[in-house]
Amino acid sequence: MAWISISKVLLILTSLIFLTSNKADERSDSYFNDLKTPGAIVLILFLLTISLLWTDAQLHIAAKALAKHAKLLEVLLLISLIRTVKQASIGIIAFLTGQVFLLIISYLLAAGLVIPWANQSGGRNVVFSSYLDQSIMLATTSALFWHLKNSLPVPKWITGLLAIASLANVFLFLDGRSGYAVGLVVLGLAAMWLMPKKIRLMALFGVPTIVLLLLFFGSNHLQERASKIFFEAQDYGANGKIESSSGWRLHAWRRSVEAIAEKPLIGHGVGSWTTTIKRIEGEKANIIFGEGLASNPHQEYLLWGVELGVLGSILLMFLIYCIIRDALNFEKSISRATISVALAMGVACSFNSALYDSMIGDFFCIALGLLMALGIRKNAAEKNNIVSG
């Protein structure tokens, strides 16, 4: 993780230097300028930076948090640096090749093989990080395989098989309940777009419901994981127990709402979540939230709400809206893939700090950056073909 973080900083700095040094080339990139997402990202990062002036966190904690939020720059850099359809396609292929490797190794682990580099503490059949990260990533990747099948240099049946295998891995071989939710969302979207317009709404909700019921009654493991949420939440509501995953989340969310209520207009500043929540919690804070000052509530909307007030939560929803709005102008397959990733991110943010997290956050930013770059460069290529024709 340390080497990856250092490499990422160097990559971003090099990219910014490259863009600045090439400013002399005054070509107008109208397709980039027409996007709503870059403006939303710049606004978000500007407000987070300004909040350093009033943050409740120590400066080095706040700066670290700002750097984690700043991974959103990856989206802008990919859109800016990728100038052709070919470059974007190479990026997408490289990205998905990595996911195929992850998927294959996960299945080898499920088959009982010993993989030396697998993270044994991350959960069953986990390769590098944890069951939470891997389940969300593979559920989202299934949508990319499915919707981009016409754009990838392999037969459609292979991409279709990879899409199914990715979802099967999430539902049957991993433990991530957030991944289950993301998988159902991308599955519902895919089913909706396959159906005639008259029954699309029914497909959007009906297909995931049927699949969920089949999985629930057909898999004892999934039944156990799903039931666990109910009992943990019930235990927290009745007895205030926070030792479980769901109990801790519910308690962190409750404290987050209380923190937002204290400063609903400007928030407590970037990086302030742990400091603020521990103050509200009182003497048991370290026992519940740990010794450090850099935790998060495992809920991105509430994290931004604590840092920037109600506006922060709205800004995250606005960012997702801008991504979807931009995607509607892309070619159909790219549009559907981008919308699927955006909504997958939105769902993941409901149960985790998905963008703030170093692993899932980079995954979503890179996926969105590559897809949006592919979308606008295809639009540009098609327009040039029409003009030249």
Side-chain angles (χ1 to χ4, degrees), residues 43-52 66 69-70 72 269-270 304 307-308:
L43 174 62
I44 288 167
L45 294 180
F46 172 76
L47 292 175
L48 285 168
T49 303
I50 291 297
S51 74
L52 286 169
L66 181 60
H69 284 298
L72 287 169
V270 63
W304 289 31
E307 293 182 333
L308 294 176

Side-chain angles (χ1 to χ4, degrees), residues 140-373:
T140 306
T141 299
S142 69
L144 298 182
F145 285 131
W146 182 258
H147 295 299
L148 297 179
K149 53 184 176 289
N150 293 324
S151 304
L152 299 174
V154 292
K156 293 181 183 179
W157 69 268
I158 292 180
T159 55
L161 182 63
L162 287 171
I164 295 171
S166 297
L167 279 182
N169 188 269
V170 172
F171 288 131
L172 302 178
F173 298 102
L174 295 175
D175 295 330
R177 290 169 289 190
S178 298
Y180 300 161
V182 172
L184 291 172
V185 168
V186 298
L187 181 63
L189 289 171
M192 178 188 73
W193 283 317
L194 280 175
M195 298 298 172
K197 290 185 178 180
K198 291 183 179 180
I199 59 172
R200 280 187 174 179
L201 189 62
M202 185 186 302
L204 176 63
F205 295 101
V207 170
T209 301
I210 293 172
V211 170
L212 180 60
L213 290 173
L214 289 173
L215 289 170
F216 184 80
F217 291 107
S219 170
N220 291 332
H221 180 75
L222 191 142
Q223 190 176 107
E224 178 187 344
R225 294 289 293 172
S227 300
K228 194 175 180 181
I229 299 176
F230 173 78
F231 290 116
E232 288 176 351
Q234 189 179 50
D235 208 15
Y236 174 74
N239 306 310
K241 289 190 176 181
I242 58 174
E243 289 78 11
S244 64
S245 174
S246 299
W248 187 93
R249 271 182 169 83
L250 290 170
H251 188 70
W253 297 355
R254 174 189 168 191
R255 293 300 187 213
S256 298
V257 172
E258 293 172 357
I260 295 172
E262 286 186 351
K263 292 185 178 180
L265 298 181
I266 63 172
H268 297 268
V270 63
S272 64
W273 186 83
T274 310
T275 302
T276 304
I277 264 54
K278 283 190 172 183
R279 174 180 55 77
I280 294 173
E281 185 65 42
E283 59 182 15
K284 294 183 179 180
N286 286 339
I287 298 175
I288 297 172
F289 298 108
E291 295 291 338
L293 293 173
S295 186
N296 65 80
H298 290 211
Q299 219 277 8
E300 192 89 21
Y301 301 96
L302 292 176
L303 174 66
W304 289 31
V306 172
E307 293 182 333
L308 294 176
V310 176
L311 176 63
S313 301
I314 294 173
L315 280 172
L316 179 52
M317 291 184 278
F318 178 67
L319 173 62
I320 296 170
Y321 163 79
C322 288
I323 295 169
I324 294 173
R325 176 75 179 273
D326 290 336
L328 292 173
N329 296 318
F330 300 159
E331 177 188 287
K332 183 185 291 185
S333 60
I334 303 171
S335 173
R336 291 177 175 179
T338 308
I339 291 172
S340 296
V341 174
L343 291 178
M345 182 180 75
V347 171
C349 285
S350 299
F351 305 103
N352 308 277
S353 297
L355 275 175
Y356 188 76
D357 182 86
S358 297
M359 296 182 184
I360 316 175
D362 285 319
F363 170 86
F364 279 120
C365 288
I366 292 171
L368 289 170
L370 289 171
L371 287 169
M372 298 188 81

Side-chain angles (χ1 to χ4, degrees), residues 13-189:
L13 289 176
T14 304
S15 301
L16 290 172
I17 292 170
F18 175 82
L19 289 173
T20 303
S21 63
N22 283 270
K23 185 65 177 175
D25 184 0
E26 294 292 343
R27 289 181 301 172
S28 175
D29 191 351
S30 60
Y31 289 93
F32 179 89
N33 296 334
D34 290 340
L35 294 174
K36 306 295 182 186
T37 304
I41 291 174
V42 170
L43 174 62
I44 288 167
L45 294 180
F46 172 76
L47 292 175
L48 285 168
T49 303
I50 291 297
S51 74
L52 286 169
L53 297 174
W54 65 80
T55 182
D56 294 344
Q58 298 174 21
L59 186 57
H60 71 282
I61 297 294
K64 182 179 179 181
L66 181 60
K68 290 172 74 70
H69 284 298
K71 67 170 62 71
L72 287 169
L73 285 173
E74 294 170 12
V75 179
L76 300 187
L77 289 173
L78 285 167
I79 299 173
S80 302
L81 293 169
I82 294 174
R83 306 294 299 185
T84 66
V85 173
K86 183 178 180 180
Q87 291 174 0
S89 298
I90 291 172
I92 291 285
I93 292 169
F95 182 74
L96 289 178
T97 299
Q99 299 304 307
V100 171
F101 175 79
L102 182 74
L103 182 64
I104 291 173
I105 299 302
S106 183
Y107 273 112
L108 291 178
L109 288 169
L113 274 70
V114 177
I115 307 297
W117 60 82
N119 180 20
Q120 297 181 358
S121 63
R124 65 179 190 133
N125 307 320
V126 170
V127 182
F128 293 121
S129 53
S130 70
Y131 66 84
L132 174 65
D133 303 316
Q134 186 170 311
S135 63
I136 292 174
M137 291 177 191
L138 286 179
T140 306
T141 299
S142 69
L144 298 182
F145 285 131
W146 182 258
H147 295 299
L148 297 179
K149 53 184 176 289
N150 293 324
S151 304
L152 299 174
V154 292
K156 293 181 183 179
W157 69 268
I158 292 180
T159 55
L161 182 63
L162 287 171
I164 295 171
S166 297
L167 279 182
N169 188 269
V170 172
F171 288 131
L172 302 178
F173 298 102
L174 295 175
D175 295 330
R177 290 169 289 190
S178 298
Y180 300 161
V182 172
L184 291 172
V185 168
V186 298
L187 181 63
L189 289 171

